[in-house]
Amino acid sequence: MSSRKKIDSSPETTEDLERLQLQGLRWTVEHAYNNNGFYRELLDGAGVVPADIKCLDDLRRLPFTTADDLRKGYPLPFLSVPEEEVVRIHSSSGTTGKRKILCYTRQDVLDWTDFFARCLEMAGVGLGDRVQIAVGYGLWTAGAGFQAACEKVGAMAIPIGPGNLGMQCQFLVDLQPSVLCCTSSMALLLAEEVHRRGIADKINIRRVIQGSERCSSAMCRAIKRLMGAEHVFDITGMTELYGPGAGIDCEHHSGVHYWADYYILEVLDPVTLEPVEQGQTGEMVVTTLRKEAAPLIRYRTRDLTRLLPGRCPCGSIYPRHDKILGRSDDMIIFRGVNIYPGQIDEILSAVEGVSSEYNITIDRRGGKDFMLVRVERAIEGDPSWDEETEAEIRRGIKEEIMVSAEVQIVDYATLPRSERKSRRVFDRRSD
Ligand code: ZN
């Protein structure tokens, strides 16, 4: 089989979707096996040949891949086409060691643009919209992805990039963009700046599309309130899986619709690698269905989420997963209990009188783990309520996560803000 894939276009029913998935899965396994030495060795090692893939359940016979495998194939890992067919590369910062570099064929770029444009359509962005794209351009996937999708749906792209709050505010006023795309940290920072400058009534942002990090309900509310936006959408994705645009929530905000005709999502127990019980949280493992240059087979993303059952009220056939709860790498083991920062921010989101900003410090005192959660008071919060609020949060953490934590309310805007991803956890136990 050639490296050119032959997959039908967008599905209209769930049956179409399953047919496409099987077609794509068989193509991907054959393509990777025939055109990439690493994959051939991996599949041979697992005793699987492409002809073994007869139904979707056969996915479970396939071996896993990880970020470590990307490092082994540096600089063009998983390359499964002749190099001259690669038209672009993107890169993300590796947390340790070398960067991850992923490559794309011409068709990969078109496919990515296609499903990214679906994200914008689902978020109600199209003709007549002006989109301030405040994410990284260059090697990063985000800028290029938003830009191409924006142009595909016929909106006007404003490729401003991240940072520079002064210029961001000036563009918000002068160009009247209706859509803002950025990380949730950046959205909050910009919303606070808009508030500080008192220009909320001079701007026209209706929709915010935020990605690359978790946006708690409280953060969402703050962004909407300070900027006067109607909707904040969560866009998902990662460089290995083309880039952002792998899924987005619709206006019902009842989970993230993901493009199951481009990849299969499994949610597995990160320890046993078996499927979790329905509705339980586990690690997202993805298998691409059409990716030519660098296909993924059961790639462990380390992101944690759960699948949501049933059909969304919007009627879309695309399945949904919950908000990303965090990364398995961010998991804190505290007195034997597994804790994700996402659990803490959901508790805080239900508390009145606090802002969305918090951080967690873990320490050892007298041989015992000790957790301090610092939370900012809301912008108009009353300090005389601090003691009661602290007690409420302590109770919430005890009830939801079953651990004891110290809680301290601090003044608004005293915790550090970031234009990229905010650091939430400071583990000082090994210091
Ligand atoms: Zn929906």
Side-chain angles (χ1 to χ4, degrees):
M1 202 189 277
S2 87
S3 62
R4 293 259 170 261
K5 65 174 188 308
K6 293 181 187 66
I7 309 278
D8 298 347
S9 54
S10 300
E12 281 168 15
T13 62
T14 36
E15 291 73 36
D16 281 352
L17 198 52
E18 283 183 13
R19 190 176 44 76
L20 278 179
Q21 286 190 329
L22 180 58
Q23 198 185 350
L25 178 63
R26 296 179 72 168
W27 176 81
T28 297
V29 174
E30 178 145 13
H31 170 60
Y33 188 84
N34 290 339
N35 299 302
N36 177 280
F38 163 78
Y39 273 128
R40 177 178 286 250
E41 220 171 275
L42 188 73
L43 289 161
D44 280 341
V48 190
V49 292
D52 291 337
I53 307 302
K54 295 191 174 68
C55 64
L56 282 174
D57 283 342
D58 290 329
L59 175 67
R60 296 193 49 198
R61 304 176 59 171
L62 297 171
F64 293 95
T65 52
T66 65
D68 277 341
D69 297 323
L70 286 169
R71 280 187 266 282
K72 279 182 226 149
Y74 186 85
L76 297 181
F78 298 164
L79 180 68
S80 305
V81 295
E83 272 184 42
E84 59 269 26
E85 288 186 23
V86 173
V87 299
R88 195 197 285 178
I89 61 140
H90 278 293
S91 168
S92 68
S93 53
T95 38
T96 51
K98 286 181 177 134
R99 295 179 161 278
K100 294 176 194 161
I101 298 180
L102 274 300
C103 53
Y104 303 69
T105 63
R106 188 168 172 274
Q107 187 62 44
D108 289 336
V109 172
L110 293 173
D111 285 348
W112 181 27
T113 305
D114 175 66
F115 66 71
F116 207 137
R118 278 189 207 163
C119 288
L120 296 189
E121 280 162 1
M122 192 158 260
V125 180
L127 223 58
D129 277 307
R130 294 180 172 191
V131 185
Q132 186 148 323
I133 306 174
V135 298
Y137 276 78
L139 276 175
W140 308 103
T141 49
F146 272 110
Q147 179 87 24
C150 199
E151 290 166 356
K152 179 162 174 152
V153 301
M156 182 176 107
I158 306 173
I160 189 166
N164 201 340
L165 291 179
M167 185 163 72
Q168 302 277 357
C169 286
Q170 192 189 339
F171 273 48
L172 288 179
V173 173
D174 293 352
L175 283 161
Q176 294 288 297
S178 47
V179 183
L180 173 71
C181 310
C182 52
T183 63
S184 49
S185 297
M186 176 68 187
L188 181 69
L189 207 60
L190 190 50
E192 288 178 338
E193 185 65 16
V194 162
H195 180 77
R196 200 181 63 77
R197 293 178 180 224
I199 54 170
D201 57 346
K202 296 189 178 68
I203 69 170
N204 186 37
I205 293 294
R206 318 309 308 166
R207 285 150 202 273
V208 176
I209 300 177
Q210 73 79 32
S212 128
E213 63 177 339
R214 206 188 135 71
C215 187
S216 72
S217 316
M219 222 163 160
C220 247
R221 284 199 299 270
I223 293 163
K224 282 200 283 196
R225 189 167 48 85
L226 296 175
M227 228 181 295
E230 286 159 17
H231 288 280
V232 176
F233 298 92
D234 251 329
I235 197 164
T236 58
M238 66 190 71
T239 308
E240 297 92 312
L241 191 57
Y242 301 86
I248 195 167
D249 50 342
C250 65
E251 285 190 0
H252 293 276
H253 303 295
S254 59
V256 173
H257 288 283
Y258 66 91
W259 312 128
D261 55 338
Y262 278 96
Y263 63 99
I264 295 177
L265 172 62
E266 297 174 272
V267 176
L268 306 180
D269 181 311
V271 179
T272 65
L273 296 176
E274 291 295 323
V276 295
E277 296 282 325
Q278 200 179 359
Q280 294 301 299
T281 298
E283 181 177 333
M284 296 172 77
V285 173
V286 294
T287 301
T288 57
L289 300 172
R290 313 189 192 197
K291 208 161 175 271
E292 295 180 339
L296 301 179
I297 292 179
R298 299 194 93 187
Y299 182 74
R300 297 188 56 186
T301 67
R302 309 285 166 185
D303 280 334
L304 299 162
T305 191
R306 62 194 183 104
L307 291 171
L308 298 174
R311 188 69 76 87
C312 177
C314 76
S316 166
I317 62 155
Y318 289 102
R320 291 168 301 154
H321 62 75
D322 205 350
K323 275 188 176 187
I324 311 267
L325 186 61
R327 289 178 61 75
S328 54
D329 311 338
D330 296 336
M331 187 179 80
I332 311 159
I333 301 178
F334 179 80
R335 297 184 191 169
V337 179
N338 299 351
I339 303 172
Y340 304 105
Q343 291 175 291
I344 303 276
D345 69 43
E346 276 315 306
I347 293 165
L348 297 177
S349 291
V351 175
E352 273 187 51
V354 295
S355 98
S356 57
E357 295 312 285
Y358 69 96
N359 64 35
I360 303 165
T361 309
I362 314 233
D363 232 329
R364 276 186 88 74
R365 287 188 198 167
K368 229 179 149 193
D369 287 352
F370 178 87
M371 184 191 304
L372 171 65
V373 180
R374 281 198 189 85
V375 191
E376 277 183 8
R377 196 179 307 114
I379 204 163
E380 67 286 2
D382 178 354
S384 67
W385 287 90
D386 283 358
E387 224 170 288
E388 241 166 273
T389 311
E390 286 164 355
E392 183 186 349
I393 297 169
R394 259 199 311 276
R395 268 198 311 277
I397 294 174
K398 184 86 196 166
E399 278 165 21
E400 299 289 329
I401 319 179
M402 289 176 283
V403 298
S404 299
E406 258 322 295
V407 177
Q408 188 190 353
I409 304 287
V410 299
D411 287 340
Y412 182 74
T414 51
L415 294 179
R417 305 291 201 263
S418 160
E419 288 170 4
R420 292 189 49 81
K421 300 184 190 183
S422 298
R423 186 163 171 213
R424 303 286 188 194
V425 180
F426 299 85
D427 193 339
R428 304 238 151 87
R429 285 176 293 190
S430 51
D431 289 359

